[in-house]
């Protein structure tokens, strides 16, 4: 609902989305475990997932921003003042543990400088922008009760119930298990997968609407 679907999505749709997300994450975990074994590690860590995502610059940039905001949120919770937050960001010290971890790892595998350039890239994320505009359009006709429900939906994530999420992925049966930061990333990627499925479904729905004056609309609908 928070990503653009109806307030009460079809149960069949939810089951299908869950199945797709689960399959994608299990495959990702298996690949990450292989990467972890190759480097002789005992756990699946953030580095293994970053390595798998290194070729998709847009999604990697989105993940790095998420990791930065996780650090930022952790510091807010600990009650650090705003001036210190800005200073920490500039110094990239130990309090920015997720960001520093990502930066150090990408630096170790970056041969051309294009991966590290992502940290300095302020380019607008077209996909995120479209999602924000869609959410704004959704709320225009809502009353206060519907808006409260919508806001609550937007706050949901796979990381809210970490133990259930870990059980859902059956991590206990794996020889090499993901650590805490890797689980954060997996929860984020699960959410992103749902978001991408909704993005694509809405595009398909949009293409199915016949356009006035389109000579091919009849043939497309028949197909």
């Amino acid at each position: 609902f928070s990503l653009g679907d109806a307030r009460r999505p079809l149960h069949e749709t939810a089951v299908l989305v869950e199945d797709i997300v689960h399959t994608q994450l299990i495959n990702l975990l298996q690949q990450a475990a292989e990467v972890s074994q190759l480097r002789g590690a005992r756990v699946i860590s953030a580095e293994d997932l970053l390595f798998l995502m290194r070729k998709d610059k847009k999604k990697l940039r989105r993940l790095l921003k998420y990791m930065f905001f996780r650090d930022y949120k952790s510091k807010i919770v600990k009650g650090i003042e705003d001036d210190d937050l800005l200073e920490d960001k500039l110094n990239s010290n130990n309090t920015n543990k997720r960001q520093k971890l990502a930066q150090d790892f990408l630096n170790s595998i970056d041969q051309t400088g294009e991966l590290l350039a992502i940290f300095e890239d302020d380019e607008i994320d077209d996909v995120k922008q479209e999602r924000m505009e869609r959410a704004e359009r959704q709320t225009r006709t809502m009353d206060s009760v519907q808006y409260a429900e919508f806001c609550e939906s937007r706050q949901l994530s796979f990381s809210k119930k970490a133990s259930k999420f870990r059980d859902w992925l059956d991590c206990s049966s794996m020889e090499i298990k993901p650590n805490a930061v890797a689980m954060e990333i997996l929860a984020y990627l699960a959410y992103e997968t749902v978001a991408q499925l909704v993005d694509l479904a809405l595009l398909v729905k949009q293409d199915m609407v016949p356009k006035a004056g389109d000579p091919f609309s009849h043939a497309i609908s028949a197909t």
Side-chain angles (χ1 to χ4, degrees), residues 101-156:
L101 181 154
Q103 205 158 6
D104 289 347
F105 175 70
L106 292 177
N107 184 48
S108 70
I109 64 169
D110 193 5
Q111 302 295 321
T112 62
E114 57 184 340
L115 293 177
L116 287 176
I118 294 175
F119 286 94
E120 308 298 328
D121 192 354
D122 291 329
E123 180 184 340
I124 293 175
D125 189 327
D126 293 333
V127 174
K128 292 284 285 185
Q129 184 72 20
E130 167 59 29
R131 290 175 189 167
M132 290 169 65
E133 290 175 4
R134 185 194 306 151
E136 192 277 326
R137 289 193 297 270
Q138 278 181 273
T139 60
R140 287 178 187 174
T141 57
M142 291 180 183
D143 58 29
S144 58
V145 175
Q146 291 170 334
Y147 184 70
E149 183 183 11
F150 181 74
C151 289
E152 187 177 351
S153 297
R154 293 199 73 185
Q155 294 175 48
L156 296 176

Side-chain angles (χ1 to χ4, degrees), residues 19-81:
D19 183 55
I20 293 171
V21 174
H22 189 260
T23 302
Q24 293 282 344
L25 289 184
I26 293 298
N27 289 339
L28 183 63
L29 263 174
Q30 290 172 346
Q31 293 178 51
E34 291 173 6
V35 173
S36 182
Q37 282 181 315
L38 285 174
R39 64 189 187 90
R42 295 182 179 180
V43 295
I44 297 171
S45 64
E47 289 90 338
D48 303 310
L49 296 169
L50 289 168
F51 180 79
L52 291 173
M53 294 180 67
R54 70 194 184 283
K55 293 182 180 178
D56 193 333
K57 305 294 190 303
K58 289 186 177 181
K59 286 186 179 179
L60 183 58
R61 184 190 302 117
R62 208 173 296 154
L63 172 60
L64 293 174
K65 284 185 177 180
Y66 171 76
M67 293 176 77
F68 167 72
F69 282 114
R70 287 291 296 190
D71 282 338
Y72 190 87
K73 182 181 177 182
S74 296
K75 286 177 283 187
I76 289 290
V77 171
K78 290 175 183 175
I80 298 177
E81 296 177 355

